[in-house]
């Protein structure tokens, strides 16, 4: 890895899309693969990711066990300069720096989104969520225009494309992750498929399969455990195994900068 950590930003201006749950599981998966991971929660009010890691640390103390985790913090300020300073300090000597952002329009979330190496935007499979990135015709369901958020990321990616040459920075990889696909009626899902495919070609994001809504994720939060902590979850039911397969598919879809040794380790971890 280079001296600067690889930045993964989970951002969506709409809440309830599974953003924090996805961020935690990706961070822990990277830690299981031997990567040094740092995480910053920008939602100082809700603190879902931060609380998840706090619960994980408490479970380790209570049970006397050691689990792969992340160096974590919550940013409570308003200055982008101070945020950059925290990111620089926390990300030092780490391979990945993960940001979880509020589910609303937020200047700090926009700031880190434009600096992401991989920007992950989880969406529930509905046109309510799709409206965040594009608007469709009410009759044909064809994409009529980009949303403000998609235009913001489009402009950020254009600036980054120039910086890849002048500053030797990586191009931004924007991945739209489809969560809760199993809860979508077949005809509506086909319409969303078509709209996302059309918009991805216009804007340049990739599409990855995400996590279904499962009770297991809500049950794990108080302990801070994840689906990866196989030896500490008790007996795994069928739903657990299916959920772990979803996580494996998600990590493959994100195509993060994982070493060849890490790719081999992923087989045993998942």
């Amino acid at each position: 890895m280079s001296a600067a950590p690889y930045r993964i930003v989970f951002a969506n201006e709409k809440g309830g899309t599974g953003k924090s749950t996805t961020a935690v599981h990706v961070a822990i998966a990277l830690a299981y693969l031997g990567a040094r991971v740092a995480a910053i929660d920008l939602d100082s009010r809700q603190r879902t990711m931060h609380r998840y890691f706090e619960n994980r640390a408490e479970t380790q103390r209570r049970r006397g066990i050691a689990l792969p985790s992340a160096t974590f913090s919550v940013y409570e300020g308003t200055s982008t300069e101070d945020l950059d300073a925290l990111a620089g300090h926390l990300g030092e000597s780490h391979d990945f720096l993960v940001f979880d952002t509020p589910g609303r329009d937020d200047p700090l979330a926009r700031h880190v989104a434009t600096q992401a190496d991989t920007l992950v935007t989880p969406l529930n499979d509905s046109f309510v969520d799709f409206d965040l990135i594009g608007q469709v015709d009410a009759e044909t369901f064809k994409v009529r225009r980009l949303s403000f958020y998609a235009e913001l990321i489009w402009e950020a990616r254009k600036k980054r494309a120039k910086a890849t040459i002048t500053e030797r920075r990586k191009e931004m990889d924007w991945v739209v992750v489809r969560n809760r696909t199993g809860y979508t009626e077949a005809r509506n899902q086909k319409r969303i498929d078509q709209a996302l495919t059309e918009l991805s070609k216009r804007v340049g994001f990739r599409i990855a399969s995400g996590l279904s809504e499962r009770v297991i994720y809500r049950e794990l939060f108080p302990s801070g455990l994840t689906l990866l902590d196989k030896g500490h979850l008790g007996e795994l039911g069928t739903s657990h195994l299916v959920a772990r397969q979803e996580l494996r598919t998600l990590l493959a879809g994100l195509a993060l900068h994982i070493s060849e040794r890490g790719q081999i380790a992923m087989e045993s971890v998942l």
Side-chain angles (χ1 to χ4, degrees), residues 183-255:
Y183 287 75
T184 308
E185 184 264 331
R187 185 175 62 174
N188 191 55
Q189 188 171 28
K190 183 177 180 180
R191 289 169 174 168
I192 294 172
D193 285 342
Q194 294 171 341
L196 274 173
T197 300
E198 179 186 348
L199 192 58
S200 69
K201 294 175 181 177
R202 290 171 57 176
V203 184
F205 58 76
R206 297 189 298 110
I207 304 169
S209 297
L211 309 177
S212 298
E213 173 129 7
R214 299 183 186 277
V215 175
I216 181 62
Y217 295 117
R218 294 189 290 274
E219 291 178 342
L220 289 174
F221 175 79
S223 66
L225 295 175
T226 71
L227 290 169
L228 301 168
D229 304 312
K230 292 180 286 186
H232 306 279
L233 296 176
E235 186 176 350
L236 297 180
T238 303
S239 63
H240 296 68
L241 299 176
V242 173
R244 284 181 56 213
Q245 176 58 48
E246 290 178 347
L247 182 57
R248 184 186 295 115
T249 301
L250 169 61
L251 286 169
L254 292 181

Side-chain angles (χ1 to χ4, degrees), residues 8-10 18-28 37-57 69-75 90 97-102 221 224 226:
I8 309 172
V9 177
F10 291 82
K19 180 168 47 62
S20 299
T21 298
T22 307
V24 167
H25 275 76
V26 169
I28 296 301
V37 183
I40 299 177
D41 194 334
L42 296 185
D43 193 341
S44 59
R45 177 189 295 177
Q46 191 162 334
R47 302 178 178 226
T48 302
M49 183 174 74
H50 189 263
R51 288 285 299 124
Y52 209 119
F53 284 122
E54 282 186 331
N55 293 343
R56 188 174 183 82
S69 192
T71 304
F72 60 94
S73 180
V74 60
Y75 181 66
L90 200 67
L97 181 56
V98 177
F99 292 87
D100 187 26
T101 63
F221 175 79
T226 71

Side-chain angles (χ1 to χ4, degrees), residues 38-187:
I40 299 177
D41 194 334
L42 296 185
D43 193 341
S44 59
R45 177 189 295 177
Q46 191 162 334
R47 302 178 178 226
T48 302
M49 183 174 74
H50 189 263
R51 288 285 299 124
Y52 209 119
F53 284 122
E54 282 186 331
N55 293 343
R56 188 174 183 82
E58 175 57 31
T59 293
Q60 292 184 75
R61 287 191 292 268
R62 186 175 61 254
R63 296 189 183 182
I65 58 177
L67 296 171
S69 192
T71 304
F72 60 94
S73 180
V74 60
Y75 181 66
E76 301 183 84
T78 58
S79 162
T80 56
E81 291 79 9
D82 289 346
L83 174 57
D84 287 341
L86 173 63
H89 173 72
L90 200 67
E92 191 175 1
S93 301
H94 287 78
D95 302 313
F96 292 91
L97 181 56
V98 177
F99 292 87
D100 187 26
T101 63
R104 60 179 183 272
D105 182 16
D106 180 86
L108 296 178
R110 291 189 195 177
H111 177 69
V112 296
T114 58
Q115 295 184 335
D117 294 306
T118 293
L119 174 66
V120 183
T121 302
L123 293 178
N124 293 327
D125 243 31
S126 75
F127 280 109
V128 174
D129 281 28
F130 183 89
D131 198 66
L132 173 78
I133 55 176
Q135 299 177 16
V136 297
D137 184 270
E139 300 295 335
T140 65
F141 294 95
K142 293 284 187 180
V143 177
R144 292 192 295 130
R145 63 172 66 93
L146 303 184
S147 73
F148 176 80
Y149 187 76
E151 290 177 346
L152 173 74
I153 303 305
W154 171 253
E155 290 300 321
R157 294 183 75 215
K158 286 199 297 184
K159 291 179 182 178
R160 280 289 292 274
K162 297 177 182 178
T164 56
I165 300 174
T166 59
E167 302 173 17
R168 297 184 179 181
R169 295 188 67 186
K170 305 177 183 69
E171 292 187 14
M172 181 194 297
D173 184 19
W174 185 13
V175 186
V176 172
V177 172
R178 300 178 64 182
N179 285 336
R180 300 185 68 185
T181 53
Y183 287 75
T184 308
E185 184 264 331
R187 185 175 62 174

